[in-house]
Amino acid sequence: MIKYSVLLILLVLAFSCGDSNESRFDQLNKSAEWNLDMYDYCTDNWQTQWFLDGKKAKVEYSDMGMNFCAGPKNSDDAHHAVLWTRQSFKGDVKIEYTYTRTDSQCINVNNLYIQALGTGDGFFDKDIFQWNKYREVPAMRKYYFNMNTLHVSYAAFPRVNQDPENDYVRLRKYPVKQGEFEKSEILPLFSGTGLFLPGETYKITVIKTATELFFNVKGKATEKLFYWKLTKNQSPEEGRIGLRHMYTRSANYKDFKVYTR
């Protein structure tokens, strides 16, 4: 009887926590304190508001949005790609955009970098544009060793995988020390989301404060909220927003907005 009572209490707490996260997200999302700092319709020259890491990438824009494609060769670091906002954003941020997968891969990862600065150590100036040329081959290690940022992986799959339902959403914090990459993960990890299907459009809303990160995904038939608690040293204070595609991955972006407060 005691075991059942404990289980019931844990279930109630879990559901209460979920409801609390939803309420907190709605409150923050609707707040009148947000100021719109960037709005790209993604239907005109992308170079006006973005710059690119990776020579093998393609960025094509039309009335349908901005189609961002990493290089086609799997397991070749030169075929990774990152698009960075030219603007830098300070404080709490809210990021909104529509996302449509234009690949059918079930391997490799899409990332969102939130407020990235260089570490400031030697060559790696806090202004990451200053060492953009170093990232012409955008190997992951050049980012996680040398940048202070949060990184959300989504529409993400293991590098060796054949199951299209084996996706995940994961949060990491950079920089990391040599040999300690796994320590960069901020739990929980969310697996098998059922989201980010090829050709389907999703509205993504990300809110980062000093203590919390919300990642909300809304499709035609479903909506899911992913939540992480942040400690003070895990929440960047300032920096650029980046869209990373590992080799072979592509997606269409539209109505990209960044708010601060």
Side-chain angles (χ1 to χ4, degrees), residues 66 163 194 220 225:
M66 178 174 70
D163 181 358
K220 279 191 299 187
L225 177 66

Side-chain angles (χ1 to χ4, degrees), residues 53 82 135 138-147 244:
D53 294 352
V82 185
R135 303 187 305 274
M140 281 290 293
R141 62 185 177 276
K142 296 181 180 181
Y143 299 78
Y144 59 70
F145 285 143
N146 304 308
M147 289 185 183
R244 181 182 184 90

